Amino acid sequence: MTQAYLRTPAAAHYLGIGKSTLERKRVEGTGPAFRRLGSKIVTYAVKDLDAWASQQVHASTSEAAA
């Protein structure tokens, strides 16, 4: 099976968040796993995006802020 990879704009669109939000999360270390292919090319595996999104489930807004 071939692994699908998305660059930052497409990954952000896939997740339904802004490109700058995804970039900020990458810098902060709070976003999905990524791969750096060269000095400027960052890609995300679709399976890693799905795994990260699955971990972002919260029962209340106060829990999400914690």
Side-chain angles (χ1 to χ4, degrees):
M1 184 170 145
T2 302
Q3 178 66 53
Y5 294 95
L6 302 175
R7 289 195 180 188
T8 302
H13 183 267
Y14 181 83
L15 291 170
I17 62 176
K19 178 181 162 246
S20 61
T21 299
L22 184 56
E23 290 169 339
R24 186 179 70 249
K25 289 184 175 299
R26 184 171 67 232
V27 170
E28 294 172 347
T30 60
F34 65 94
R35 287 140 181 91
R36 187 173 297 278
L37 309 175
S39 63
K40 295 185 180 184
I41 300 172
V42 174
T43 62
Y44 295 86
V46 171
K47 70 178 183 96
D48 292 336
L49 297 174
D50 290 338
W52 178 80
S54 293
Q55 295 172 354
Q56 306 308 307
V57 178
H58 303 284
S60 71
T61 56
S62 61
E63 178 184 332

